[in-house]
Amino acid sequence: MKGVIFTELLGFVEHKAGAEFAEDVLDAAALPNHGAFTKIGTYPAAHALRLVQIASEKSGIPASDLSIEYGEWLFHRFTILYPDIMARYETAESMLDHVGSHIHEEVVVLYPDAKPPKVSTVHTDGEMVIEYSSHRPMAHIAFGLVRGCMAHYGDDRTVNWQADADPTSARFVITERERV
């Protein structure tokens, strides 16, 4: 997994609970590289999962909730780190439609060893369905990224996760928000 995910994860943990907490998480995770990540490096996904697990244990927040929140935070960070990519899209829907066909293709051009997840979209009956599939158990982060994207573009539609027990795949359904 690309290092930017790790460096941003540590930034998220520090932002959420402070530098001391982030250091405690790194120490408790006892990773072979002692948490020395670079944005362009490649690291085992298991290291990210370990960091989330330790942060969850230390904070009392379920790992799934932390992962979703991290995904939302990560999307915001992508708007800062990759403004040229973000500027190409005027709506959440246009961006989400191009994650698999354009954005992840650019990731592979920049990082030939990258193995991004597969993301596709289908539009039917006023719904947008996002199919997510990865060899890594990161569906909660993907859900957070979708929610972060929707928030960034001010899209007030509802995002529902049709979850199953497999954290490597998911189906996200975006529908119009019910009016009261």
Side-chain angles (χ1 to χ4, degrees):
M1 199 157 71
K2 295 315 297 176
V4 68
I5 302 301
F6 290 87
T7 58
E8 293 303 322
L9 176 58
L10 292 174
F12 166 73
V13 170
E14 185 172 327
H15 171 80
K16 184 153 182 69
E20 188 174 317
F21 181 82
E23 286 296 321
D24 288 347
V25 168
L26 275 174
D27 289 344
L31 300 175
N33 67 348
H34 307 291
F37 300 108
T38 65
K39 287 186 183 206
I40 60 170
T42 301
Y43 307 95
H47 291 183
L49 297 172
R50 178 81 178 136
L51 290 168
V52 170
Q53 173 193 3
I54 297 296
S56 171
E57 290 169 4
K58 289 187 167 295
S59 69
I61 300 170
S64 58
D65 292 349
L66 280 176
S67 295
I68 292 168
E69 190 176 339
Y70 168 59
E72 292 171 342
W73 189 84
L74 183 60
F75 187 89
H76 171 71
R77 290 292 300 151
F78 285 167
T79 67
I80 295 166
L81 296 170
Y82 309 108
D84 294 342
I85 292 173
M86 298 299 171
R88 295 178 192 163
Y89 305 101
E90 293 183 16
T91 65
E93 191 163 302
S94 65
M95 169 161 273
L96 293 168
D97 274 336
H98 290 93
V99 169
S101 64
H102 176 246
I103 295 170
H104 283 167
E105 286 178 3
E106 283 195 24
V107 169
V108 173
V109 168
L110 290 172
Y111 307 106
D113 61 334
K115 293 178 178 63
K118 298 199 181 335
V119 179
S120 62
T121 58
V122 176
H123 300 267
T124 57
D125 299 327
E127 292 183 341
M128 178 179 190
V129 178
I130 303 167
E131 298 285 348
Y132 168 87
S133 173
S134 177
H135 63 282
R136 299 177 202 97
M138 305 287 178
H140 287 89
I141 295 171
F143 184 60
L145 283 164
V146 170
R147 287 174 43 167
C149 178
M150 303 286 290
H152 172 75
Y153 287 100
D155 191 323
D156 69 348
R157 292 179 292 170
T158 301
V159 182
N160 291 304
W161 180 356
Q162 294 180 343
D164 59 24
D166 181 6
T168 65
S169 65
R171 186 171 205 250
F172 309 124
V173 180
I174 300 172
T175 58
E176 290 297 324
R177 186 174 298 281
E178 289 186 26
R179 304 291 177 202
V180 186

